Amino acid sequence: MESVESDLGRKMRDALRLYGGDIRVREDNGQLGDRRYRDSFRGDEKAYKTLNALLYPGIDNEFTRISKEKGRLNPIFLRHIDKSMEVYLDIFRLMCQEHRHGREEIIVKRVERESSLEILKKGQTVSFFSTSRAGYSQSFAEKEGVILLEIHVTSDVPYVDFQEALGKEYKRMEEREVLLPPFADFSIQETAMDRASGKSVRDLDGRRPLGRYEIKTKGFSDSGWKPLGAGSPERMKQDLLAGSHMAGEAVEAMNRGEWQQDFSAYITWKKQLREYLRERFFYMWSLIPENNFQNPV
Protein backbone atom coordinates (compact mmCIF):
# COMPACT_ATOMS: atom_id res chain seq x y z
CA MET A 1 0.00 0.00 0.00
CA GLU A 2 2.82 2.37 0.86
CA SER A 3 4.45 1.94 -2.57
CA VAL A 4 1.11 2.60 -4.33
CA GLU A 5 0.66 5.84 -2.39
CA SER A 6 4.23 6.79 -3.15
CA ASP A 7 3.69 6.18 -6.88
CA LEU A 8 0.49 8.23 -6.83
CA GLY A 9 2.25 11.04 -4.97
CA ARG A 10 5.03 11.15 -7.55
CA LYS A 11 2.47 11.10 -10.37
CA MET A 12 0.67 14.12 -8.90
CA ARG A 13 3.91 16.00 -8.33
CA ASP A 14 5.06 15.21 -11.86
CA ALA A 15 1.80 16.62 -13.22
CA LEU A 16 2.42 19.83 -11.30
CA ARG A 17 6.03 19.95 -12.53
CA LEU A 18 4.87 19.50 -16.12
CA TYR A 19 2.41 22.36 -15.77
CA GLY A 20 5.18 24.52 -14.33
CA GLY A 21 7.61 23.78 -17.16
CA ASP A 22 10.00 21.42 -15.37
CA ILE A 23 10.94 18.86 -18.06
CA ARG A 24 13.47 16.85 -16.05
CA VAL A 25 13.19 13.07 -16.27
CA ARG A 26 12.40 11.05 -13.15
CA GLU A 27 14.86 8.16 -13.02
CA ASP A 28 14.06 4.56 -12.08
CA ASN A 29 15.16 5.27 -8.51
CA GLY A 30 12.45 7.94 -8.22
CA GLN A 31 14.91 10.85 -8.24
CA LEU A 32 15.06 13.70 -10.75
CA GLY A 33 18.21 13.62 -12.85
CA ASP A 34 19.86 15.96 -15.31
CA ARG A 35 18.22 14.41 -18.38
CA ARG A 36 15.40 16.31 -20.08
CA TYR A 37 12.35 14.88 -21.79
CA ARG A 38 12.63 15.20 -25.55
CA ASP A 39 9.09 14.23 -26.52
CA SER A 40 6.74 17.09 -27.38
CA PHE A 41 4.36 16.30 -24.48
CA ARG A 42 6.56 16.10 -21.39
CA GLY A 43 9.30 18.15 -23.05
CA ASP A 44 7.17 21.32 -23.43
CA GLU A 45 8.51 24.01 -21.09
CA LYS A 46 5.43 26.16 -21.79
CA ALA A 47 2.84 23.44 -21.22
CA TYR A 48 0.70 25.72 -19.05
CA LYS A 49 -0.07 27.97 -22.02
CA THR A 50 -1.87 25.25 -23.97
CA LEU A 51 -3.42 23.59 -20.90
CA ASN A 52 -4.89 26.93 -19.80
CA ALA A 53 -6.06 28.01 -23.26
CA LEU A 54 -8.16 24.86 -23.57
CA LEU A 55 -10.30 25.94 -20.61
CA TYR A 56 -11.22 29.38 -21.96
CA PRO A 57 -14.45 29.84 -23.98
CA GLY A 58 -14.20 30.75 -27.64
CA ILE A 59 -10.82 31.36 -29.28
CA ASP A 60 -9.94 34.84 -27.97
CA ASN A 61 -7.34 33.39 -25.62
CA GLU A 62 -5.72 31.42 -28.43
CA PHE A 63 -5.69 34.49 -30.69
CA THR A 64 -4.03 36.60 -27.99
CA ARG A 65 -1.35 34.00 -27.21
CA ILE A 66 -0.56 33.20 -30.84
CA SER A 67 -1.26 36.29 -32.92
CA LYS A 68 -0.69 39.14 -30.49
CA GLU A 69 1.99 37.67 -28.21
CA LYS A 70 3.73 35.72 -31.00
CA GLY A 71 3.54 32.42 -29.16
CA ARG A 72 2.49 28.93 -30.17
CA LEU A 73 0.16 26.36 -28.66
CA ASN A 74 1.08 22.69 -28.60
CA PRO A 75 -1.39 20.45 -30.49
CA ILE A 76 0.08 17.34 -28.84
CA PHE A 77 -1.88 18.18 -25.69
CA LEU A 78 -5.10 17.96 -27.71
CA ARG A 79 -4.21 14.89 -29.76
CA HIS A 80 -3.33 13.12 -26.50
CA ILE A 81 -6.19 14.59 -24.51
CA ASP A 82 -6.34 11.43 -22.37
CA LYS A 83 -2.87 12.26 -21.00
CA SER A 84 -3.73 15.94 -20.66
CA MET A 85 -6.88 15.13 -18.68
CA GLU A 86 -4.77 13.08 -16.29
CA VAL A 87 -2.50 16.11 -15.81
CA TYR A 88 -5.51 18.31 -14.97
CA LEU A 89 -6.96 15.71 -12.61
CA ASP A 90 -3.66 14.92 -10.89
CA ILE A 91 -3.04 18.60 -10.16
CA PHE A 92 -6.48 18.91 -8.61
CA ARG A 93 -5.98 15.68 -6.66
CA LEU A 94 -2.85 17.25 -5.23
CA MET A 95 -4.83 20.37 -4.30
CA CYS A 96 -7.38 18.22 -2.47
CA GLN A 97 -4.63 16.31 -0.68
CA GLU A 98 -3.00 19.54 0.45
CA HIS A 99 -6.38 20.89 1.57
CA ARG A 100 -6.89 17.88 3.82
CA HIS A 101 -3.70 18.85 5.64
CA GLY A 102 -5.20 22.25 6.50
CA ARG A 103 -5.06 25.53 4.62
CA GLU A 104 -4.47 29.07 5.81
CA GLU A 105 -5.66 32.29 4.24
CA ILE A 106 -2.91 33.74 2.09
CA ILE A 107 -2.34 36.85 -0.03
CA VAL A 108 -0.72 36.34 -3.42
CA LYS A 109 -0.10 38.46 -6.54
CA ARG A 110 -0.61 38.05 -10.28
CA VAL A 111 0.13 40.06 -13.41
CA GLU A 112 -2.86 39.56 -15.73
CA ARG A 113 -3.89 40.62 -19.23
CA GLU A 114 -6.17 43.66 -19.20
CA SER A 115 -8.20 41.89 -21.88
CA SER A 116 -9.13 39.23 -19.29
CA LEU A 117 -10.86 41.77 -17.07
CA GLU A 118 -14.35 41.09 -18.46
CA ILE A 119 -13.95 37.38 -17.73
CA LEU A 120 -12.64 38.15 -14.25
CA LYS A 121 -15.69 40.30 -13.54
CA LYS A 122 -17.84 37.19 -13.93
CA GLY A 123 -16.41 36.11 -10.58
CA GLN A 124 -14.95 32.67 -11.22
CA THR A 125 -11.54 31.37 -12.26
CA VAL A 126 -11.68 29.93 -15.77
CA SER A 127 -8.44 27.94 -15.93
CA PHE A 128 -5.74 27.07 -13.43
CA PHE A 129 -4.79 30.43 -11.97
CA SER A 130 -1.09 30.99 -11.29
CA THR A 131 -0.13 33.44 -8.54
CA SER A 132 2.96 34.22 -6.48
CA ARG A 133 3.83 34.80 -2.84
CA ALA A 134 6.85 36.76 -4.08
CA GLY A 135 4.96 39.74 -5.47
CA TYR A 136 4.48 41.07 -8.99
CA SER A 137 7.02 39.50 -11.30
CA GLN A 138 8.19 41.03 -14.55
CA SER A 139 8.78 37.51 -15.87
CA PHE A 140 4.98 37.03 -15.96
CA ALA A 141 4.28 40.42 -17.56
CA GLU A 142 5.16 39.52 -21.15
CA LYS A 143 1.60 40.15 -22.23
CA GLU A 144 -0.17 42.84 -24.24
CA GLY A 145 -1.63 45.33 -21.73
CA VAL A 146 -1.48 44.20 -18.10
CA ILE A 147 -3.24 44.77 -14.80
CA LEU A 148 -2.06 43.87 -11.30
CA LEU A 149 -4.08 41.53 -9.09
CA GLU A 150 -3.82 41.07 -5.33
CA ILE A 151 -5.63 37.86 -4.43
CA HIS A 152 -6.83 37.05 -0.92
CA VAL A 153 -7.24 33.28 -0.91
CA THR A 154 -9.54 32.06 1.83
CA SER A 155 -8.99 28.75 3.59
CA ASP A 156 -12.08 27.16 1.99
CA VAL A 157 -10.51 27.17 -1.49
CA PRO A 158 -8.17 24.41 -2.69
CA TYR A 159 -4.76 25.52 -3.88
CA VAL A 160 -1.28 24.12 -4.18
CA ASP A 161 1.89 25.88 -3.11
CA PHE A 162 4.66 24.65 -5.42
CA GLN A 163 7.32 24.95 -2.72
CA GLU A 164 5.25 23.03 -0.15
CA ALA A 165 4.19 20.32 -2.58
CA LEU A 166 7.49 19.79 -4.43
CA GLY A 167 10.06 20.66 -1.78
CA LYS A 168 13.58 20.30 -3.12
CA GLU A 169 12.14 19.22 -6.50
CA TYR A 170 10.79 22.73 -7.08
CA LYS A 171 12.84 24.09 -9.97
CA ARG A 172 11.89 27.78 -9.74
CA MET A 173 12.04 28.41 -6.02
CA GLU A 174 12.34 32.18 -6.51
CA GLU A 175 8.88 32.37 -8.12
CA ARG A 176 7.10 31.03 -4.99
CA GLU A 177 4.19 30.02 -7.18
CA VAL A 178 0.75 29.19 -5.80
CA LEU A 179 -1.79 27.63 -8.15
CA LEU A 180 -5.56 28.02 -7.78
CA PRO A 181 -8.06 25.76 -9.59
CA PRO A 182 -10.67 26.56 -12.20
CA PHE A 183 -14.23 27.11 -10.88
CA ALA A 184 -13.21 29.02 -7.72
CA ASP A 185 -15.66 31.84 -6.93
CA PHE A 186 -14.40 35.31 -6.04
CA SER A 187 -15.28 38.99 -5.81
CA ILE A 188 -13.22 41.68 -7.54
CA GLN A 189 -12.88 45.43 -7.08
CA GLU A 190 -10.53 48.07 -8.40
CA THR A 191 -8.04 49.60 -5.95
CA ALA A 192 -5.45 52.35 -6.10
CA MET A 193 -2.19 51.60 -7.87
CA ASP A 194 0.78 51.61 -5.52
CA ARG A 195 3.68 53.58 -6.92
CA ALA A 196 6.38 50.93 -6.57
CA SER A 197 4.42 48.23 -8.42
CA GLY A 198 3.32 50.65 -11.08
CA LYS A 199 6.92 51.48 -11.85
CA SER A 200 8.46 48.02 -11.64
CA VAL A 201 6.16 46.12 -14.02
CA ARG A 202 5.99 46.65 -17.78
CA ASP A 203 3.92 44.84 -20.39
CA LEU A 204 5.07 43.33 -23.67
CA ASP A 205 5.32 46.80 -25.23
CA GLY A 206 7.01 48.44 -22.23
CA ARG A 207 3.85 50.10 -20.90
CA ARG A 208 2.94 50.44 -17.24
CA PRO A 209 0.01 48.47 -15.75
CA LEU A 210 -3.43 49.76 -16.71
CA GLY A 211 -4.97 49.16 -13.28
CA ARG A 212 -4.83 47.31 -9.99
CA TYR A 213 -7.55 45.06 -8.57
CA GLU A 214 -8.22 43.18 -5.35
CA ILE A 215 -9.73 39.72 -5.53
CA LYS A 216 -11.13 37.76 -2.59
CA THR A 217 -12.12 34.14 -3.04
CA LYS A 218 -15.60 33.07 -1.94
CA GLY A 219 -15.19 29.33 -1.73
CA PHE A 220 -15.24 26.26 -3.92
CA SER A 221 -18.60 24.77 -3.04
CA ASP A 222 -20.95 24.80 -6.00
CA SER A 223 -24.28 24.28 -4.22
CA GLY A 224 -25.93 23.48 -7.55
CA TRP A 225 -23.59 20.59 -8.33
CA LYS A 226 -25.04 17.09 -8.50
CA PRO A 227 -23.12 14.01 -9.63
CA LEU A 228 -24.03 12.76 -13.08
CA GLY A 229 -25.54 9.35 -13.57
CA ALA A 230 -23.43 6.22 -13.74
CA GLY A 231 -21.31 6.10 -16.87
CA SER A 232 -21.85 9.76 -17.83
CA PRO A 233 -18.28 10.96 -17.12
CA GLU A 234 -16.92 8.02 -19.13
CA ARG A 235 -19.20 8.91 -22.07
CA MET A 236 -17.99 12.51 -21.86
CA LYS A 237 -14.40 11.29 -21.91
CA GLN A 238 -15.02 9.10 -24.96
CA ASP A 239 -16.55 12.06 -26.83
CA LEU A 240 -13.45 14.12 -26.04
CA LEU A 241 -11.18 11.35 -27.29
CA ALA A 242 -13.18 11.07 -30.49
CA GLY A 243 -12.75 14.79 -31.19
CA SER A 244 -9.11 15.10 -30.20
CA HIS A 245 -7.68 14.87 -33.73
CA MET A 246 -10.07 17.58 -34.95
CA ALA A 247 -9.08 19.80 -32.03
CA GLY A 248 -5.38 19.27 -32.70
CA GLU A 249 -5.88 20.21 -36.35
CA ALA A 250 -7.67 23.40 -35.28
CA VAL A 251 -4.75 24.49 -33.11
CA GLU A 252 -2.31 23.70 -35.92
CA ALA A 253 -4.33 26.00 -38.20
CA MET A 254 -4.22 28.76 -35.57
CA ASN A 255 -0.46 28.37 -35.25
CA ARG A 256 -0.26 28.90 -39.02
CA GLY A 257 -2.36 32.07 -38.72
CA GLU A 258 -5.39 30.63 -40.52
CA TRP A 259 -7.96 32.47 -38.40
CA GLN A 260 -10.58 32.58 -41.18
CA GLN A 261 -11.50 28.93 -40.59
CA ASP A 262 -14.71 27.83 -38.88
CA PHE A 263 -13.64 26.81 -35.36
CA SER A 264 -17.14 26.12 -34.02
CA ALA A 265 -16.52 22.37 -33.59
CA TYR A 266 -13.31 23.12 -31.68
CA ILE A 267 -15.12 25.60 -29.43
CA THR A 268 -17.82 23.02 -28.67
CA TRP A 269 -15.15 20.40 -27.93
CA LYS A 270 -13.45 22.76 -25.46
CA LYS A 271 -16.78 23.35 -23.72
CA GLN A 272 -17.17 19.59 -23.33
CA LEU A 273 -13.68 19.38 -21.83
CA ARG A 274 -14.53 22.08 -19.32
CA GLU A 275 -17.78 20.32 -18.38
CA TYR A 276 -15.95 17.02 -17.93
CA LEU A 277 -13.32 18.57 -15.66
CA ARG A 278 -15.95 20.45 -13.67
CA GLU A 279 -17.77 17.19 -13.02
CA ARG A 280 -14.61 15.36 -11.93
CA PHE A 281 -13.25 18.23 -9.83
CA PHE A 282 -16.44 18.74 -7.84
CA TYR A 283 -16.81 15.00 -7.34
CA MET A 284 -13.28 14.80 -5.89
CA TRP A 285 -13.92 17.88 -3.77
CA SER A 286 -17.18 16.39 -2.44
CA LEU A 287 -15.23 13.43 -1.01
CA ILE A 288 -13.51 15.68 1.55
CA PRO A 289 -15.75 15.26 4.63
CA GLU A 290 -15.91 18.88 5.75
CA ASN A 291 -17.08 20.25 2.41
CA ASN A 292 -20.65 21.41 2.46
CA PHE A 293 -22.00 19.38 -0.44
CA GLN A 294 -20.50 16.07 0.58
CA ASN A 295 -23.89 14.30 0.29
CA PRO A 296 -25.51 15.75 -2.85
CA VAL A 297 -29.03 14.62 -3.60
Side-chain angles (χ1 to χ4, degrees):
M1 182 67 177
E2 182 178 346
S3 63
V4 172
E5 291 176 345
S6 178
D7 288 344
L8 177 59
R10 283 196 293 267
K11 184 170 178 284
M12 292 188 295
R13 293 197 305 274
D14 284 347
L16 186 65
R17 289 195 309 106
L18 170 63
Y19 178 89
D22 182 353
I23 63 171
R24 289 177 293 172
V25 173
R26 190 176 294 283
E27 306 292 354
D28 292 340
N29 61 7
Q31 301 301 308
L32 294 177
D34 295 329
R35 290 191 300 140
R36 302 291 188 267
Y37 281 103
R38 296 186 179 276
D39 66 274
S40 52
F41 190 93
R42 290 217 64 99
D44 187 346
E45 293 184 288
K46 301 292 184 181
Y48 72 92
K49 290 189 175 184
T50 305
L51 293 171
N52 283 350
L54 293 182
L55 301 186
Y56 277 81
I59 60 171
D60 287 349
N61 192 270
E62 287 90 336
F63 184 78
T64 296
R65 292 181 185 275
I66 296 171
S67 184
K68 292 186 177 181
E69 297 175 0
K70 310 304 179 186
R72 184 182 182 277
L73 298 183
N74 189 346
I76 200 70
F77 288 109
L78 296 87
R79 294 196 173 107
H80 292 277
I81 193 60
D82 52 339
K83 293 168 64 176
S84 296
M85 286 190 290
E86 278 302 303
V87 171
Y88 289 125
L89 295 174
D90 279 334
I91 292 173
F92 191 73
R93 287 186 186 103
L94 186 56
M95 290 180 174
C96 290
Q97 175 179 286
E98 295 291 303
H99 187 83
R100 285 186 174 93
H101 296 160
R103 297 277 77 177
E104 60 177 354
E105 182 168 341
I106 59 173
I107 298 176
V108 289
K109 307 292 180 66
R110 176 179 171 91
V111 181
E112 180 61 276
R113 295 178 183 84
E114 194 270 343
S115 60
S116 297
L117 189 55
E118 288 307 308
I119 292 179
L120 289 171
K121 288 180 177 178
K122 294 180 180 179
Q124 190 176 80
T125 53
V126 176
S127 66
F128 283 109
F129 201 67
S130 177
T131 68
S132 175
R133 289 181 183 262
Y136 301 115
S137 172
Q138 180 59 37
S139 62
F140 290 102
E142 299 303 310
K143 306 167 183 176
E144 184 184 56
V146 299
I147 55 176
L148 305 181
L149 304 179
E150 179 178 284
I151 304 104
H152 296 246
V153 185
T154 49
S155 60
D156 55 353
V157 170
Y159 64 83
V160 61
D161 183 310
F162 275 64
Q163 186 171 345
E164 290 179 0
L166 300 179
K168 64 181 181 180
E169 293 185 351
Y170 186 22
K171 185 179 180 181
R172 298 182 173 91
M173 197 74 70
E174 72 283 355
E175 292 181 0
R176 301 185 65 195
E177 187 172 359
V178 173
L179 194 64
L180 307 184
F183 318 121
D185 295 324
F186 61 82
S187 61
I188 180 170
Q189 63 178 6
E190 188 168 8
T191 61
M193 178 73 68
D194 72 274
R195 185 174 300 178
S197 298
K199 288 184 176 181
S200 64
V201 176
R202 292 288 188 275
D203 76 354
L204 190 63
D205 299 316
R207 296 177 297 175
R208 292 184 179 182
L210 301 173
R212 183 172 178 268
Y213 295 81
E214 181 180 284
I215 284 176
K216 185 167 185 177
T217 60
K218 296 166 58 178
F220 191 82
S221 54
D222 187 344
S223 58
W225 177 83
K226 293 181 176 62
L228 297 178
S232 292
E234 185 59 31
R235 287 196 298 271
M236 295 168 73
K237 181 177 179 180
Q238 292 306 314
D239 288 343
L240 288 165
L241 291 172
S244 61
H245 181 75
M246 172 277 299
E249 290 294 304
V251 166
E252 286 278 28
M254 294 178 198
N255 285 335
R256 293 192 299 266
E258 298 172 3
W259 297 101
Q260 74 281 2
Q261 290 196 23
D262 179 3
F263 292 111
S264 56
Y266 169 74
I267 292 170
T268 298
W269 183 86
K270 286 206 309 177
K271 183 178 179 181
Q272 293 171 336
L273 173 62
R274 184 174 172 81
E275 290 173 350
Y276 173 78
L277 292 177
R278 184 183 185 92
E279 163 66 17
R280 303 319 300 152
F281 284 7
F282 278 109
Y283 175 73
M284 284 190 277
W285 186 243
S286 74
L287 298 179
I288 300 177
E290 67 268 24
N291 291 333
N292 61 13
F293 60 107
Q294 57 179 316
N295 296 309
V297 295

Tab-separated table of all heavy atoms in Angstrom, residues 105-136:
chain	number	residue	atom	x	y	z
A	105	GLU	N	-5.394	31.214	5.182
A	105	GLU	CA	-5.660	32.291	4.242
A	105	GLU	C	-4.337	32.938	3.853
A	105	GLU	O	-3.486	33.200	4.702
A	105	GLU	CB	-6.593	33.338	4.861
A	105	GLU	CG	-6.949	34.455	3.898
A	105	GLU	CD	-8.086	35.326	4.386
A	105	GLU	OE1	-8.845	34.875	5.272
A	105	GLU	OE2	-8.220	36.458	3.874
A	106	ILE	N	-4.154	33.164	2.572
A	106	ILE	CA	-2.912	33.744	2.088
A	106	ILE	C	-3.221	34.906	1.136
A	106	ILE	O	-4.330	35.012	0.609
A	106	ILE	CB	-2.033	32.703	1.343
A	106	ILE	CG1	-2.788	32.106	0.145
A	106	ILE	CG2	-1.577	31.605	2.297
A	106	ILE	CD1	-1.932	31.195	-0.731
A	107	ILE	N	-2.237	35.762	0.929
A	107	ILE	CA	-2.344	36.852	-0.035
A	107	ILE	C	-1.253	36.650	-1.077
A	107	ILE	O	-0.075	36.521	-0.741
A	107	ILE	CB	-2.186	38.222	0.646
A	107	ILE	CG1	-3.307	38.432	1.670
A	107	ILE	CG2	-2.219	39.346	-0.402
A	107	ILE	CD1	-3.171	39.724	2.460
A	108	VAL	N	-1.656	36.591	-2.329
A	108	VAL	CA	-0.725	36.343	-3.424
A	108	VAL	C	-0.959	37.382	-4.517
A	108	VAL	O	-1.943	38.111	-4.500
A	108	VAL	CB	-0.896	34.910	-3.978
A	108	VAL	CG1	-0.370	33.888	-2.982
A	108	VAL	CG2	-2.362	34.624	-4.325
A	109	LYS	N	-0.043	37.432	-5.486
A	109	LYS	CA	-0.099	38.457	-6.536
A	109	LYS	C	-0.087	37.793	-7.918
A	109	LYS	O	0.389	36.678	-8.089
A	109	LYS	CB	1.100	39.401	-6.418
A	109	LYS	CG	1.291	40.028	-5.023
A	109	LYS	CD	0.194	40.995	-4.684
A	109	LYS	CE	0.393	41.615	-3.297
A	109	LYS	NZ	1.578	42.471	-3.212
A	110	ARG	N	-0.592	38.536	-8.894
A	110	ARG	CA	-0.607	38.049	-10.275
A	110	ARG	C	-0.587	39.232	-11.232
A	110	ARG	O	-1.261	40.246	-10.983
A	110	ARG	CB	-1.852	37.196	-10.532
A	110	ARG	CG	-2.008	36.722	-11.983
A	110	ARG	CD	-3.262	35.870	-12.122
A	110	ARG	NE	-3.589	35.551	-13.510
A	110	ARG	CZ	-3.177	34.482	-14.177
A	110	ARG	NH1	-2.402	33.604	-13.564
A	110	ARG	NH2	-3.523	34.275	-15.430
A	111	VAL	N	0.175	39.104	-12.302
A	111	VAL	CA	0.126	40.057	-13.408
A	111	VAL	C	-0.759	39.438	-14.482
A	111	VAL	O	-0.471	38.348	-14.972
A	111	VAL	CB	1.532	40.353	-13.970
A	111	VAL	CG1	1.436	41.372	-15.108
A	111	VAL	CG2	2.464	40.861	-12.875
A	112	GLU	N	-1.842	40.125	-14.833
A	112	GLU	CA	-2.861	39.564	-15.734
A	112	GLU	C	-3.034	40.443	-16.970
A	112	GLU	O	-2.727	41.630	-16.952
A	112	GLU	CB	-4.194	39.462	-14.975
A	112	GLU	CG	-5.351	38.895	-15.760
A	112	GLU	CD	-5.091	37.476	-16.243
A	112	GLU	OE1	-4.452	37.330	-17.316
A	112	GLU	OE2	-5.523	36.525	-15.557
A	113	ARG	N	-3.526	39.849	-18.046
A	113	ARG	CA	-3.890	40.624	-19.230
A	113	ARG	C	-5.087	41.527	-18.916
A	113	ARG	O	-6.072	41.079	-18.326
A	113	ARG	CB	-4.268	39.708	-20.396
A	113	ARG	CG	-3.141	38.858	-20.921
A	113	ARG	CD	-3.653	37.967	-22.046
A	113	ARG	NE	-2.589	37.074	-22.533
A	113	ARG	CZ	-2.284	35.917	-21.962
A	113	ARG	NH1	-2.959	35.512	-20.894
A	113	ARG	NH2	-1.314	35.170	-22.439
A	114	GLU	N	-5.029	42.757	-19.368
A	114	GLU	CA	-6.166	43.659	-19.199
A	114	GLU	C	-7.370	43.145	-19.977
A	114	GLU	O	-8.519	43.336	-19.567
A	114	GLU	CB	-5.772	45.064	-19.671
A	114	GLU	CG	-6.732	46.163	-19.240
A	114	GLU	CD	-7.852	46.401	-20.244
A	114	GLU	OE1	-7.708	45.958	-21.400
A	114	GLU	OE2	-8.870	47.021	-19.860
A	115	SER	N	-7.118	42.429	-21.073
A	115	SER	CA	-8.202	41.888	-21.884
A	115	SER	C	-8.988	40.801	-21.155
A	115	SER	O	-10.095	40.442	-21.574
A	115	SER	CB	-7.644	41.322	-23.198
A	115	SER	OG	-6.713	40.281	-22.952
A	116	SER	N	-8.442	40.261	-20.064
A	116	SER	CA	-9.132	39.227	-19.287
A	116	SER	C	-10.069	39.811	-18.237
A	116	SER	O	-10.756	39.057	-17.534
A	116	SER	CB	-8.115	38.313	-18.591
A	116	SER	OG	-7.320	37.621	-19.527
A	117	LEU	N	-10.105	41.128	-18.140
A	117	LEU	CA	-10.862	41.767	-17.071
A	117	LEU	C	-12.349	41.427	-17.135
A	117	LEU	O	-12.985	41.181	-16.099
A	117	LEU	CB	-10.654	43.286	-17.115
A	117	LEU	CG	-11.202	44.086	-15.932
A	117	LEU	CD1	-10.662	43.556	-14.612
A	117	LEU	CD2	-10.858	45.564	-16.098
A	118	GLU	N	-12.925	41.395	-18.338
A	118	GLU	CA	-14.349	41.091	-18.458
A	118	GLU	C	-14.657	39.682	-17.973
A	118	GLU	O	-15.689	39.445	-17.347
A	118	GLU	CB	-14.809	41.275	-19.905
A	118	GLU	CG	-14.892	42.724	-20.344
A	118	GLU	CD	-15.737	43.573	-19.411
A	118	GLU	OE1	-16.894	43.176	-19.120
A	118	GLU	OE2	-15.239	44.617	-18.947
A	119	ILE	N	-13.767	38.743	-18.241
A	119	ILE	CA	-13.954	37.378	-17.735
A	119	ILE	C	-13.811	37.362	-16.218
A	119	ILE	O	-14.582	36.709	-15.512
A	119	ILE	CB	-12.962	36.413	-18.398
A	119	ILE	CG1	-13.293	36.240	-19.880
A	119	ILE	CG2	-12.967	35.051	-17.708
A	119	ILE	CD1	-12.355	35.321	-20.633
A	120	LEU	N	-12.833	38.100	-15.694
A	120	LEU	CA	-12.638	38.152	-14.247
A	120	LEU	C	-13.869	38.717	-13.537
A	120	LEU	O	-14.223	38.276	-12.438
A	120	LEU	CB	-11.413	39.006	-13.909
A	120	LEU	CG	-10.043	38.428	-14.247
A	120	LEU	CD1	-8.957	39.476	-14.047
A	120	LEU	CD2	-9.746	37.197	-13.399
A	121	LYS	N	-14.524	39.676	-14.155
A	121	LYS	CA	-15.691	40.302	-13.538
A	121	LYS	C	-16.864	39.346	-13.414
A	121	LYS	O	-17.828	39.629	-12.696
A	121	LYS	CB	-16.089	41.544	-14.322
A	121	LYS	CG	-15.120	42.715	-14.134
A	121	LYS	CD	-15.540	43.946	-14.926
A	121	LYS	CE	-14.600	45.119	-14.662
A	121	LYS	NZ	-14.953	46.317	-15.455
A	122	LYS	N	-16.799	38.194	-14.090
A	122	LYS	CA	-17.845	37.186	-13.927
A	122	LYS	C	-17.701	36.443	-12.608
A	122	LYS	O	-18.600	35.696	-12.211
A	122	LYS	CB	-17.807	36.207	-15.099
A	122	LYS	CG	-18.179	36.866	-16.426
A	122	LYS	CD	-18.147	35.872	-17.581
A	122	LYS	CE	-18.525	36.549	-18.894
A	122	LYS	NZ	-18.476	35.598	-20.044
A	123	GLY	N	-16.539	36.603	-11.938
A	123	GLY	CA	-16.405	36.108	-10.577
A	123	GLY	C	-16.068	34.651	-10.408
A	123	GLY	O	-16.389	34.058	-9.374
A	124	GLN	N	-15.377	34.060	-11.391
A	124	GLN	CA	-14.953	32.672	-11.225
A	124	GLN	C	-13.705	32.427	-12.062
A	124	GLN	O	-13.619	32.895	-13.198
A	124	GLN	CB	-16.053	31.708	-11.664
A	124	GLN	CG	-15.781	30.255	-11.290
A	124	GLN	CD	-16.920	29.332	-11.654
A	124	GLN	OE1	-17.056	28.933	-12.808
A	124	GLN	NE2	-17.752	28.999	-10.670
A	125	THR	N	-12.737	31.708	-11.492
A	125	THR	CA	-11.543	31.370	-12.257
A	125	THR	C	-11.931	30.448	-13.412
A	125	THR	O	-12.755	29.547	-13.256
A	125	THR	CB	-10.485	30.682	-11.383
A	125	THR	OG1	-11.082	29.561	-10.702
A	125	THR	CG2	-9.908	31.645	-10.362
A	126	VAL	N	-11.338	30.687	-14.567
A	126	VAL	CA	-11.679	29.930	-15.772
A	126	VAL	C	-10.742	28.744	-15.942
A	126	VAL	O	-11.178	27.627	-16.210
A	126	VAL	CB	-11.607	30.845	-17.009
A	126	VAL	CG1	-11.862	30.049	-18.285
A	126	VAL	CG2	-12.611	31.981	-16.885
A	127	SER	N	-9.452	28.981	-15.787
A	127	SER	CA	-8.443	27.940	-15.927
A	127	SER	C	-7.684	27.828	-14.604
A	127	SER	O	-8.032	28.489	-13.621
A	127	SER	CB	-7.480	28.290	-17.066
A	127	SER	OG	-6.730	29.437	-16.727
A	128	PHE	N	-6.651	27.005	-14.569
A	128	PHE	CA	-5.744	27.069	-13.427
A	128	PHE	C	-5.175	28.483	-13.377
A	128	PHE	O	-4.877	29.091	-14.407
A	128	PHE	CB	-4.632	26.039	-13.562
A	128	PHE	CG	-5.080	24.642	-13.245
A	128	PHE	CD1	-5.219	23.687	-14.250
A	128	PHE	CD2	-5.377	24.277	-11.947
A	128	PHE	CE1	-5.643	22.404	-13.960
A	128	PHE	CE2	-5.800	22.992	-11.642
A	128	PHE	CZ	-5.939	22.055	-12.653
A	129	PHE	N	-5.045	29.010	-12.182
A	129	PHE	CA	-4.787	30.431	-11.973
A	129	PHE	C	-3.481	30.566	-11.190
A	129	PHE	O	-3.439	30.332	-9.987
A	129	PHE	CB	-5.962	31.022	-11.187
A	129	PHE	CG	-6.129	32.509	-11.291
A	129	PHE	CD1	-6.486	33.113	-12.478
A	129	PHE	CD2	-5.953	33.306	-10.167
A	129	PHE	CE1	-6.676	34.490	-12.560
A	129	PHE	CE2	-6.137	34.675	-10.232
A	129	PHE	CZ	-6.500	35.268	-11.435
A	130	SER	N	-2.419	30.930	-11.896
A	130	SER	CA	-1.094	30.987	-11.287
A	130	SER	C	-0.871	32.320	-10.585
A	130	SER	O	-1.091	33.384	-11.162
A	130	SER	CB	-0.026	30.790	-12.366
A	130	SER	OG	1.265	30.908	-11.807
A	131	THR	N	-0.420	32.248	-9.334
A	131	THR	CA	-0.135	33.437	-8.537
A	131	THR	C	1.212	33.267	-7.841
A	131	THR	O	1.832	32.207	-7.929
A	131	THR	CB	-1.233	33.670	-7.485
A	131	THR	OG1	-1.168	32.602	-6.507
A	131	THR	CG2	-2.620	33.683	-8.105
A	132	SER	N	1.649	34.299	-7.134
A	132	SER	CA	2.957	34.221	-6.479
A	132	SER	C	2.925	34.851	-5.103
A	132	SER	O	2.312	35.901	-4.898
A	132	SER	CB	4.009	34.940	-7.338
A	132	SER	OG	5.255	34.986	-6.666
A	133	ARG	N	3.605	34.201	-4.164
A	133	ARG	CA	3.826	34.803	-2.840
A	133	ARG	C	4.925	35.855	-2.892
A	133	ARG	O	5.089	36.628	-1.959
A	133	ARG	CB	4.235	33.717	-1.833
A	133	ARG	CG	3.131	32.741	-1.428
A	133	ARG	CD	3.692	31.762	-0.412
A	133	ARG	NE	2.772	30.727	0.003
A	133	ARG	CZ	2.039	30.761	1.125
A	133	ARG	NH1	2.110	31.819	1.911
A	133	ARG	NH2	1.244	29.756	1.441
A	134	ALA	N	5.674	35.887	-3.992
A	134	ALA	CA	6.854	36.756	-4.081
A	134	ALA	C	6.535	38.163	-4.585
A	134	ALA	O	7.418	39.000	-4.656
A	134	ALA	CB	7.903	36.109	-4.989
A	135	GLY	N	5.301	38.411	-4.966
A	135	GLY	CA	4.958	39.740	-5.466
A	135	GLY	C	4.803	39.747	-6.974
A	135	GLY	O	4.797	38.698	-7.633
A	136	TYR	N	4.683	40.928	-7.550
A	136	TYR	CA	4.482	41.070	-8.991
A	136	TYR	C	5.803	40.838	-9.711
A	136	TYR	O	6.783	41.530	-9.468
A	136	TYR	CB	3.950	42.461	-9.317
A	136	TYR	CG	2.639	42.782	-8.638
A	136	TYR	CD1	2.558	43.792	-7.676
A	136	TYR	CD2	1.490	42.067	-8.947
A	136	TYR	CE1	1.357	44.084	-7.052
A	136	TYR	CE2	0.287	42.345	-8.316
A	136	TYR	CZ	0.224	43.361	-7.369
A	136	TYR	OH	-0.959	43.646	-6.741
